[in-house]
Amino acid sequence: MSLQAISDFIYHQNNFLIATHYNPDADTIGSALALYHALKLLGKNPVVLCKDKTPKDCQFLPSIGDFINLDTLKSLNISDHVLIIVDCNHINRVTRDENEQFLFNNMKKIVIDHHEIVNPYGDIAWIDPSVPSTSMMIYELIKTLNVEVNKDIAVCLYAGLCIDTGNFRHDNTNAQSLIVASELISKGVNPSKVYRYLFESWSIQKFRLFKETIQTLEEESGIAILTVTKQMLERNGCDDEDSGNFVDFPKKSVSIKVSVLLKEIDKDKYRVSIRSKEDINVAQIAMSYGGGGHKNAAGCTIEGKIDYIKKDLFRKIKNIL
Ligand code: 5GP
Ligand code: MN
């Protein structure tokens, strides 16, 4: 229903602003770019917006250079654009700054996402947490719009699917994700090339940071906690995005059921990534701190002394194990 409603609505509009979430990943970026390419092929006028710098591992995606940031957006006349938010379901995931959220106040809003919803948002929302990646939903939308999926579109969609399923290894991998992958590969995607861009392109600095991060591991009752401090980033010549996906590694152990990465972003303030196996729902843990995400991959921001945060996380996670 929402898919057809979105497709019909898009047909009758011309100007679109497609927005990703902040701290972007290959699913939000790939979804936005695929839709951007498709809307252009439909003769529409789309703009792609990302508040943050686009991730290093996404630089191979066709037209990645077309993303604008909020400063550029402020200089454009976007009052008659339709806002399409992808891979998140509230404007507060596009930007946390309430003064910037005002920019979007008068726009019609479409939401396309696969995260659990906290508050309903948007004029038309298509939200399906059972779908492994937002890019799979965008694939359905592009087909419903009757746009031919070309190689550029396919690469963008495949990147989103590949990152959100951990290259088809996470618990969200299902028959449909492999069917879509196969269809995208038949459009010209080279799966091993995309895998290398997304998973085997670390700088040596990032690799050294990884080595140091693994040494911070604390482990208790099947729960692992890793920590990355600002000092560790500086010492290794790394930036904010370099610790992405370190949280996946403790899960290599059969004994570790939940893995957490604490990344210092300010004094006594941490970005928290949580991953789990099988039926352990860590979205509810993230939500208890004001964050969110999926059953097996969620995140939040926590303020406080690190020792207290770790204790609190161990306690809360032990309660659900
Ligand atoms: P990551 O740990 O990679 O930052 O995030 C894991 C998943 O949780 C992603 O799907 C991401 O969109 C979601 N997520 C991370 N942080 C937050 C947050 O603060 N709020 C919400 N609602 N979702 C988050
Ligand atoms: Mn996603």
Side-chain angles (χ1 to χ4, degrees):
M1 172 58 199
S2 300
L3 171 59
Q4 197 57 51
I6 291 172
S7 171
D8 292 347
F9 188 77
I10 287 177
Y11 255 107
H12 295 100
Q13 303 290 325
N14 276 316
N15 301 321
F16 298 89
L17 176 66
I18 307 167
T20 72
H21 57 76
Y22 60 80
N23 290 334
D25 59 13
D27 190 31
T28 196
I29 296 282
S31 295
L33 279 179
L35 188 55
Y36 172 72
H37 287 288
L39 292 183
K40 279 184 150 186
L41 289 172
L42 261 186
K44 308 289 184 188
N45 171 34
V47 177
V48 269
L49 170 78
C50 181
K51 179 196 188 310
D52 296 327
K53 242 175 40 183
T54 53
K56 290 177 222 170
D57 62 9
C58 288
Q59 296 308 309
F60 71 102
L61 295 176
S63 301
I64 185 82
D66 287 2
F67 271 100
I68 60 164
N69 60 21
L70 283 164
D71 282 338
T72 310
L73 185 75
K74 285 173 195 161
S75 67
L76 300 178
N77 181 6
I78 47 146
S79 51
D80 66 342
H81 283 50
V82 173
L83 177 67
I84 307 181
I85 300 178
V86 292
D87 199 38
C88 61
N89 51 54
H90 199 280
I91 200 69
N92 64 17
R93 290 279 294 147
V94 174
T95 171
R96 256 179 296 202
D97 184 335
E98 284 177 10
N99 294 320
E100 292 174 341
Q101 291 171 10
F102 273 114
L103 288 171
F104 309 96
N105 266 4
N106 298 322
M107 303 172 81
K108 278 259 181 240
K109 298 176 184 71
I110 297 177
V111 174
I112 305 174
D113 187 30
H114 69 139
H115 293 89
E116 301 285 345
I117 98 171
V118 185
N119 305 309
Y121 183 81
D123 300 291
I124 312 177
W126 177 29
I127 293 163
D128 189 347
S130 74
V131 182
S133 72
T134 298
S135 71
M136 282 176 62
M137 301 170 76
I138 300 291
Y139 179 57
E140 291 306 316
L141 174 61
I142 291 174
K143 287 195 298 185
T144 307
L145 287 168
N146 270 320
V147 176
E148 171 73 22
V149 174
N150 62 24
K151 185 179 170 186
D152 284 355
I153 293 176
V155 168
C156 294
L157 295 173
Y158 188 90
L161 181 51
C162 184
I163 206 76
D164 271 23
T165 57
N167 202 37
F168 311 98
R169 288 178 301 116
H170 293 338
D171 290 297
N172 58 1
T173 305
N174 58 19
Q176 193 55 27
S177 57
L178 293 166
I179 290 168
V180 170
S182 145
E183 289 175 10
L184 296 175
I185 290 167
S186 74
K187 302 288 180 189
V189 175
N190 178 331
S192 83
K193 223 169 161 176
V194 174
Y195 172 77
R196 277 199 302 282
Y197 279 123
L198 292 176
F199 292 96
E200 292 184 347
S201 299
W202 291 11
S203 65
I204 193 65
Q205 289 84 356
K206 175 167 173 169
F207 196 75
R208 290 177 188 140
L209 177 70
F210 176 66
K211 191 174 129 196
E212 205 178 325
T213 305
I214 287 298
Q215 270 147 24
T216 68
L217 188 131
E218 289 171 58
E219 184 247 311
E220 219 179 281
S221 317
I223 306 158
I225 299 188
L226 296 170
T227 310
V228 174
T229 63
K230 282 174 121 176
Q231 260 188 350
M232 287 164 66
L233 293 178
E234 268 168 42
R235 198 167 33 239
N236 290 287
C238 289
D239 62 28
D240 239 24
E241 85 179 72
D242 280 326
S243 60
N245 77 359
F246 288 179
V247 66
D248 289 322
F249 286 84
K251 289 193 298 145
K252 296 271 178 206
S253 162
V254 70
S255 315
I256 303 290
K257 304 294 183 200
V258 176
S259 173
V260 180
L261 178 91
L262 299 175
K263 185 175 75 180
E264 184 187 29
I265 50 173
D266 241 317
K267 187 171 156 39
D268 298 332
K269 191 170 180 185
Y270 295 84
R271 271 291 313 156
V272 183
S273 288
I274 317 173
R275 301 290 184 268
S276 66
K277 289 176 181 167
E278 297 158 12
D279 278 338
I280 303 165
N281 185 344
V282 288
Q284 51 171 300
I285 301 280
M287 280 180 189
S288 76
Y289 292 103
H294 311 281
K295 184 182 76 172
N296 296 120
C300 55
T301 301
I302 310 183
E303 295 191 44
K305 295 284 172 208
I306 181 106
D307 289 341
Y308 176 78
I309 293 174
K310 284 182 193 165
K311 230 196 226 155
D312 201 48
L313 279 164
F314 274 129
R315 180 183 62 80
K316 279 191 173 162
I317 298 168
K318 268 184 213 164
N319 274 340
I320 61 158
L321 287 183

